[in-house]
Amino acid sequence: MKTNFSLSGIPDFSSFDIQKRDYVLSIIKKHFIAFGFSPISTALIEKRSNLFGSYGEDGEKLIFQILKSGDYLSKTNCDLKKITSNELSENISDKALRYDLTVSFARFFSQNQSDINLPFRRYEIGPVFRADRPQKGRLRQFTQCDADIIGSKSLLLEVDLISLIDSVLTSLKLNNMVIKISNRKILEGIFQSLSINLNFSQFSTTIDKLDKIGLNKVCDLLSSHGLPVSQVKLIKNIFSFEGTYQDKKTYVLSNFNNKNLKLGFDEISFIFSQIDALKLKTHINLDFSLARGLDYYTGSIFEVVSSDNNFGSICGGGRYDQLTEKFNINNISGVGMSFGLDRLCILLDEFNLFPNKIAFSLDYMFINFGEETVSLSQYYMQKLRMLGASVEIYPEAVKINKQLSYANKRGVKFVIMIGEEEAKKQQLSVKNMIDGSQELISFETLIKKMEFGEKKN
Amino acid sequence: MKTNFSLSGIPDFSSFDIQKRDYVLSIIKKHFIAFGFSPISTALIEKRSNLFGSYGEDGEKLIFQILKSGDYLSKTNCDLKKITSNELSENISDKALRYDLTVSFARFFSQNQSDINLPFRRYEIGPVFRADRPQKGRLRQFTQCDADIIGSKSLLLEVDLISLIDSVLTSLKLNNMVIKISNRKILEGIFQSLSINLNFSQFSTTIDKLDKIGLNKVCDLLSSHGLPVSQVKLIKNIFSFEGTYQDKKTYVLSNFNNKNLKLGFDEISFIFSQIDALKLKTHINLDFSLARGLDYYTGSIFEVVSSDNNFGSICGGGRYDQLTEKFNINNISGVGMSFGLDRLCILLDEFNLFPNKIAFSLDYMFINFGEETVSLSQYYMQKLRMLGASVEIYPEAVKINKQLSYANKRGVKFVIMIGEEEAKKQQLSVKNMIDGSQELISFETLIKKMEFGEKKN
């Protein structure tokens, strides 16, 4: 049996994968910069205490915890005989892999506050880690591309991020995408108007399961936590209501009278009015079943899904008002969004949206004729590389056919041969691997023929 | 007291840091490509068993181990009452953060063998993790830039890597660097000729401490493991011997008669003869005190240090013959090298070798005059961004002075004002923040004045 040495959901990327990812990243970065964001890069490992308490109960289970180093048991006082896994973890782990880039950003801000000019627009692109059950579109190590603006409560920031999302999707030629928008205050208003034995975080986590388990099962869950039948019916109606934004708003407001609810709708109305004027290409839709799993959102929330595909959102985000409080800084409101690079790549692959593949190739490969002429080849290789060409020599003086076969598979453009004859004449045999032609020329002639004008340093 | 929310040795990078790192990375990548290397990117988390057994006893202590998820205690049979930390770790951790990129590369190769054309040249740039005691130049998360060639025993590969190192150092304008070269076979030959109660890995780890604790203490350690006085003296003489390569070789070979030792010198002699012809700019020096901490090297080893600086090597590498055996593939010899990005940046900073700093700036900032004209500003912002400009609007309609002060600190080139007056006239007030001039122009005129020729998409 073949041993599996790799971990599922924790991927490697080949050169070809990297070309695709770089294509997507170059578009995302271009728009991030056009919208005024500057890059930062935060630590991949956080203090355990920075992460716990930010992601809700379900999220915390997915945090990868790192063992303390050395003889950690000698430093704990816990009674190993009657300890639970959770208690033990708290004692023997003090670090964890970051779960997202947002909490690290809040920490970064708290530590660099004095150097930062508010409002601050930062982007960060990097891997995050979740101990989830791997499946298509759900990895345990994946790359997020985040843009956040902190230091202002203005709803124009939401407008800017939605416009940014539209620009990126349009550049990637991703049609049939929907930006779903809602506001935590609406969900909060609904929650406050209900009688149920759950706290808001638990209620919101339950609503967040709509996509996965369906409306009926969500209602069953709510019933089981004491929601009266009449209210279950109302919830069912709200979350299955079809209609325009105005219809939805009117329906909900006619059933509940709550300050938060009104505030949530006011915020969404402003955002919609601004966005209408921008005539974005992506479809935007009010969806108050949208809950977002993360605990830290307090206002607008949004998510981007493909209407042709059901493996989950490729982008999500929202407004947070208390995120930096954990790091002893109050009254900093921010709003952020995050693209999932890995899911974007799946979508582009499925819709065949990657530009024609450019096979990775090499400009020149020197044939190895043995020690006598290797030094001369090395001399020319050095010159060619300085001119910006990519060059290698076959490392062993094996039969020429074997070397040529390697060059073929490797995608080499020109093969250069310097055998005894060529060395004597101070010439090079240059074989064009595309059309098969071959000529005997001087190194100076080769250089003149090179089209490296733009590569010269 | 101010709480410290970050972990020492696990750094964040600001936009300015990122500019510096990108400068170094762009040079390294350019040369990697010129030497025929293709990029791959491997998982940041490895199976624990992939890492243990590859780095020697001292190295293994530095591996960050990740706790299993869920109620892991219920799944172990170990007796918690009398367990050591190491035994517990083996039971409750099955994953670990990668310690270097080389072992991950060997695993990658074992899994993608059928798609890979040998010899295979790959590069990888990414973070690695070591639970070390942080100090200047020693981080717990740092970035390695690796180039490896596998699938050939030819010593031309070593020559190529040394030439690559020289090209990178020369491009970075790092003078006063020394490439130290040795061969594990020499150290092995010496070891085999001694009577000492250590295995080769332990002997080599002891010699590796020379830089840190000095020759006398290393000799004391060897004595304490039973090395006879006469041999201690010999070791002292060898490792303090000054002279040319030929002198060193003659001295060692006159004192020991060992097959491995001769083989090691033959390999080094070939490499030196090839490199001499290339007339590299970096000084290259035989140093058989060089041991390299890693267990997997079997032939050539090398390391690059600054002769002006003592915080350790900025590059290291060597030949390995058995690295893929762990992953069930035999007879694959390879050679690799790794630049330490973080240390390179420290050196460039110290020697003032970064190009003149380009402050991160924004092309246009729109002043916010409140809801009435915000939509119009948004309309122009969208157009400017499509033309490749970086643009933002101040999110709140606060006093103009406050907005201008933000623009100043932010490094904005032009501030654009669309108040009631401008809106009525369909014009924009454009303030040049560099020379302070201001003009009232139409959007069309602004576009014509833009110098975005090269940015247009």
Side-chain angles (χ1 to χ4, degrees):
Chain A
M1 212 184 95
K2 214 179 152 183
T3 317
N4 192 352
F5 293 105
S6 66
L7 293 158
S8 65
I10 306 186
D12 299 316
F13 300 102
S14 69
S15 294
F16 185 46
D17 297 329
I18 290 177
Q19 277 183 62
K20 290 181 181 176
R21 293 167 73 84
D22 281 351
Y23 164 75
V24 176
L25 286 176
S26 70
I27 286 176
I28 291 177
K29 274 192 203 167
K30 184 181 80 178
H31 291 289
F32 280 179
I33 291 167
F35 279 74
F37 294 89
S38 322
I40 68 163
S41 173
T42 56
L44 291 156
I45 303 174
E46 287 285 340
K47 281 194 172 174
R48 190 177 180 280
S49 52
N50 291 354
L51 301 185
F52 279 78
S54 296
Y55 302 113
E57 227 173 276
D58 284 4
E60 273 175 14
K61 289 184 195 149
L62 307 185
I63 294 173
F64 279 115
Q65 303 174 68
I66 296 172
L67 265 178
K68 289 182 185 171
S69 302
D71 185 12
Y72 52 82
L73 280 181
S74 69
K75 289 167 208 151
T76 67
N77 297 315
C78 54
D79 183 354
L80 288 179
K81 272 171 285 179
K82 42 181 182 177
I83 203 165
T84 67
S85 298
N86 277 346
E87 285 159 358
L88 182 62
S89 300
E90 279 173 40
N91 276 284
I92 62 173
S93 161
D94 55 0
K95 292 177 283 296
L97 291 179
R98 64 180 182 195
Y99 179 96
D100 67 6
L101 303 173
T102 315
V103 168
S104 303
F105 174 47
R107 178 189 54 72
F108 176 90
F109 172 69
S110 81
Q111 294 181 288
N112 296 278
Q113 216 193 149
S114 56
D115 301 326
I116 290 174
N117 191 22
L118 289 178
F120 178 47
R121 293 170 172 250
R122 86 87 178 78
Y123 79 82
E124 175 162 10
I125 295 172
V128 300
F129 305 87
R130 294 184 193 175
D132 221 330
R133 195 181 297 273
Q135 59 187 66
K136 185 181 175 190
R138 190 184 301 158
L139 295 168
R140 295 195 286 175
Q141 174 192 316
F142 56 100
T143 295
Q144 290 195 323
C145 312
D146 275 33
D148 285 72
I149 314 165
I150 56 165
S152 166
K153 288 183 198 282
S154 164
L155 295 169
L156 287 178
L157 303 189
E158 275 89 337
V159 177
D160 225 27
L161 287 186
I162 290 163
S163 170
L164 169 60
I165 292 170
D166 174 71
S167 299
V168 170
L169 298 178
T170 306
S171 271
L172 290 173
K173 300 187 178 65
L174 277 171
N175 307 318
N176 302 322
M177 303 303 286
V178 181
I179 305 180
K180 297 198 244 171
I181 302 193
S182 189
N183 195 302
R184 271 279 165 100
K185 290 178 182 126
I186 294 180
L187 209 58
E188 221 166 39
I190 294 175
F191 169 73
Q192 285 162 355
S193 315
L194 301 175
S195 356
I196 188 165
N197 304 322
L198 290 175
N199 63 31
F200 178 59
S201 167
Q202 292 164 327
F203 175 72
S204 152
T205 308
T206 310
I207 298 297
D208 195 42
K209 296 195 167 116
L210 260 170
D211 269 357
K212 284 165 213 155
I213 64 174
L215 184 51
N216 285 332
K217 283 193 180 157
V218 164
C219 285
D220 290 350
L221 277 174
L222 295 175
S223 290
S224 74
H225 289 104
L227 193 70
V229 179
S230 63
Q231 296 192 341
V232 171
K233 204 177 151 197
L234 194 53
I235 288 285
K236 209 169 239 171
N237 288 342
I238 288 175
F239 290 120
S240 58
F241 190 91
E242 305 257 339
T244 65
Y245 170 66
Q246 274 309 331
D247 292 345
K248 286 180 185 174
K249 181 175 165 180
T250 312
Y251 181 75
V252 174
L253 288 177
S254 70
N255 278 289
F256 296 106
N257 182 10
N258 176 289
K259 211 181 98 191
N260 262 324
L261 201 59
K262 283 190 193 121
L263 206 57
F265 275 112
D266 284 348
E267 292 190 7
I268 291 196
S269 297
F270 175 83
I271 294 170
F272 270 117
S273 74
Q274 288 288 323
I275 284 177
D276 276 349
L278 289 173
K279 303 199 188 346
L280 303 184
K281 298 209 176 103
T282 313
H283 189 66
I284 297 170
N285 199 6
L286 172 69
D287 180 348
F288 30 67
S289 77
L290 188 66
R292 303 283 304 144
L294 302 170
D295 257 8
Y296 51 65
Y297 291 123
T298 49
S300 316
I301 40 179
F302 42 86
E303 206 168 85
V304 184
V305 295
S306 162
S307 45
D308 301 331
N309 202 300
N310 60 357
F311 64 71
S313 63
I314 53 127
C315 178
R319 164 75 66 173
Y320 40 84
D321 284 323
Q322 286 116 30
L323 197 64
T324 60
E325 286 179 11
K326 191 170 190 122
F327 305 108
N328 298 342
I329 298 184
N330 299 327
N331 293 318
I332 294 289
S333 182
V335 56
M337 58 117 270
S338 178
F339 280 110
L341 176 63
D342 306 85
R343 287 186 180 174
L344 276 175
C345 287
I346 295 179
L347 271 191
L348 264 71
D349 252 337
E350 285 187 1
F351 299 145
N352 216 355
L353 290 172
F354 280 112
N356 286 336
K357 99 178 189 191
I358 313 149
F360 190 90
S361 68
L362 188 79
D363 296 320
Y364 297 98
M365 188 189 94
F366 281 70
I367 295 284
N368 190 329
F369 285 99
E371 275 193 42
E372 280 170 38
T373 59
V374 155
S375 291
L376 190 57
S377 294
Q378 297 266 20
Y379 169 80
Y380 289 129
M381 284 164 64
Q382 199 178 24
K383 298 239 170 217
L384 285 167
R385 285 168 173 168
M386 278 166 65
L387 290 166
S390 58
V391 188
E392 63 183 63
I393 183 167
Y394 195 85
E396 289 156 44
V398 294
K399 280 190 185 149
I400 294 186
N401 273 349
K402 189 176 174 192
Q403 299 189 40
L404 284 174
S405 148
Y406 166 84
N408 237 330
K409 289 189 204 141
R410 174 82 172 78
V412 171
K413 289 184 202 151
F414 297 97
V415 162
I416 298 185
M417 288 169 272
I418 310 178
E420 261 179 73
E421 280 302 303
E422 285 92 351
K424 232 182 275 171
K425 289 184 190 156
Q426 303 214 336
Q427 300 236 293
L428 295 73
S429 288
V430 179
K431 186 177 173 75
N432 181 323
M433 296 295 281
I434 298 152
D435 63 16
S437 65
Q438 186 169 329
E439 51 185 347
L440 185 70
I441 54 177
S442 72
F443 188 68
E444 290 65 37
T445 311
L446 177 70
I447 303 256
K448 271 184 211 142
K449 289 191 168 191
M450 273 173 59
E451 296 166 329
F452 287 109
E454 77 289 359
K455 282 198 194 171
K456 269 178 195 163
N457 5 6
Chain B
M1 214 186 92
K2 213 179 149 181
T3 318
N4 192 352
F5 293 105
S6 65
L7 293 159
S8 66
I10 305 186
D12 298 317
F13 300 101
S14 69
S15 294
F16 185 48
D17 297 329
I18 291 177
Q19 279 183 59
K20 289 179 180 178
R21 292 167 74 82
D22 282 350
Y23 164 74
V24 176
L25 286 177
S26 69
I27 286 176
I28 291 177
K29 274 191 202 166
K30 183 181 80 176
H31 290 289
F32 280 0
I33 291 167
F35 278 75
F37 294 89
S38 322
I40 69 163
S41 175
T42 56
L44 291 155
I45 303 174
E46 286 285 338
K47 282 195 172 174
R48 190 178 182 280
S49 52
N50 291 355
L51 302 185
F52 280 79
S54 297
Y55 302 113
E57 226 173 276
D58 284 4
E60 274 175 15
K61 290 184 192 148
L62 307 184
I63 293 173
F64 279 115
Q65 303 174 64
I66 297 173
L67 266 177
K68 289 181 184 172
S69 303
D71 184 12
Y72 51 82
L73 280 181
S74 69
K75 288 168 208 150
T76 67
N77 296 317
C78 54
D79 183 355
L80 287 179
K81 271 170 286 178
K82 43 182 180 179
I83 203 165
T84 66
S85 298
N86 276 345
E87 286 160 357
L88 182 61
S89 301
E90 279 172 41
N91 276 285
I92 62 174
S93 161
D94 55 0
K95 290 178 284 297
L97 291 178
R98 65 180 179 193
Y99 179 93
D100 67 6
L101 304 173
T102 313
V103 168
S104 303
F105 173 47
R107 178 190 51 74
F108 176 90
F109 172 69
S110 82
Q111 294 179 287
N112 296 278
Q113 216 194 150
S114 57
D115 301 326
I116 290 175
N117 189 23
L118 288 180
F120 178 47
R121 291 171 172 248
R122 85 86 177 80
Y123 78 81
E124 174 161 12
I125 296 172
V128 299
F129 305 87
R130 295 184 193 174
D132 220 330
R133 193 181 298 274
Q135 58 186 65
K136 184 181 174 190
R138 193 185 299 157
L139 296 168
R140 294 195 285 175
Q141 175 193 316
F142 56 99
T143 296
Q144 290 196 322
C145 312
D146 276 33
D148 286 71
I149 314 164
I150 55 165
S152 165
K153 288 181 197 280
S154 165
L155 294 168
L156 288 178
L157 304 188
E158 274 90 336
V159 176
D160 225 27
L161 287 186
I162 290 164
S163 170
L164 168 61
I165 292 170
D166 173 72
S167 300
V168 170
L169 297 177
T170 306
S171 274
L172 290 172
K173 300 187 179 61
L174 276 171
N175 308 317
N176 302 323
M177 303 302 287
V178 181
I179 305 179
K180 296 198 249 172
I181 302 190
S182 189
N183 195 300
R184 271 281 167 98
K185 290 178 181 122
I186 294 180
L187 209 58
E188 221 166 39
I190 294 175
F191 169 75
Q192 285 164 352
S193 315
L194 301 175
S195 354
I196 190 164
N197 305 321
L198 290 175
N199 63 32
F200 178 57
S201 168
Q202 293 164 327
F203 175 72
S204 149
T205 307
T206 310
I207 297 298
D208 195 43
K209 296 192 167 118
L210 260 172
D211 269 359
K212 285 166 212 155
I213 64 173
L215 185 52
N216 285 331
K217 281 190 182 157
V218 164
C219 286
D220 290 350
L221 277 174
L222 296 175
S223 289
S224 75
H225 289 105
L227 192 70
V229 179
S230 64
Q231 295 191 341
V232 171
K233 206 178 147 192
L234 193 55
I235 287 285
K236 209 168 240 174
N237 288 342
I238 289 174
F239 289 121
S240 59
F241 190 93
E242 304 258 338
T244 64
Y245 169 66
Q246 273 309 329
D247 293 343
K248 285 180 184 172
K249 181 175 165 181
T250 310
Y251 181 75
V252 174
L253 289 176
S254 72
N255 278 289
F256 296 106
N257 182 10
N258 176 290
K259 208 182 101 192
N260 264 322
L261 200 60
K262 283 190 193 122
L263 207 57
F265 274 112
D266 284 349
E267 291 189 8
I268 292 195
S269 296
F270 175 82
I271 293 169
F272 270 114
S273 74
Q274 288 289 321
I275 285 176
D276 276 349
L278 289 172
K279 300 200 191 348
L280 303 184
K281 297 208 178 106
T282 313
H283 189 68
I284 297 169
N285 199 4
L286 171 70
D287 180 349
F288 33 67
S289 78
L290 189 67
R292 304 282 304 143
L294 303 170
D295 258 10
Y296 50 64
Y297 292 123
T298 48
S300 315
I301 42 180
F302 42 87
E303 204 167 88
V304 184
V305 294
S306 160
S307 46
D308 302 332
N309 203 300
N310 60 357
F311 65 72
S313 63
I314 53 127
C315 177
R319 165 74 68 174
Y320 40 84
D321 284 323
Q322 286 117 32
L323 197 64
T324 59
E325 287 179 11
K326 187 168 194 126
F327 305 108
N328 298 343
I329 298 184
N330 299 328
N331 294 320
I332 293 289
S333 182
V335 57
M337 59 116 266
S338 178
F339 280 110
L341 177 64
D342 306 85
R343 287 185 179 174
L344 275 175
C345 287
I346 295 179
L347 272 192
L348 263 69
D349 250 336
E350 286 187 1
F351 299 146
N352 216 354
L353 291 172
F354 281 111
N356 285 337
K357 97 180 190 192
I358 313 148
F360 191 88
S361 71
L362 189 78
D363 296 320
Y364 297 98
M365 189 190 94
F366 282 70
I367 296 285
N368 189 329
F369 286 99
E371 277 195 37
E372 280 172 35
T373 58
V374 154
S375 291
L376 191 56
S377 293
Q378 296 266 20
Y379 169 81
Y380 289 129
M381 284 165 64
Q382 201 178 23
K383 299 239 168 216
L384 284 169
R385 284 168 172 168
M386 278 167 65
L387 290 166
S390 59
V391 188
E392 63 184 62
I393 184 167
Y394 195 84
E396 288 156 44
V398 294
K399 284 193 182 144
I400 294 186
N401 274 351
K402 191 176 171 190
Q403 299 190 40
L404 283 175
S405 149
Y406 166 84
N408 237 329
K409 288 190 206 139
R410 176 83 169 79
V412 172
K413 289 184 201 152
F414 297 97
V415 162
I416 298 185
M417 288 169 273
I418 309 178
E420 263 180 69
E421 280 301 302
E422 285 93 350
K424 232 182 273 166
K425 290 185 189 155
Q426 304 214 333
Q427 300 235 293
L428 295 75
S429 288
V430 180
K431 186 178 173 72
N432 180 326
M433 296 296 280
I434 298 154
D435 64 16
S437 65
Q438 186 170 328
E439 51 184 348
L440 186 70
I441 53 177
S442 71
F443 188 69
E444 289 64 37
T445 311
L446 178 70
I447 303 255
K448 271 184 210 142
K449 289 190 167 192
M450 275 173 56
E451 296 167 331
F452 287 110
E454 76 287 3
K455 282 199 193 169
K456 272 180 197 159
N457 4 5

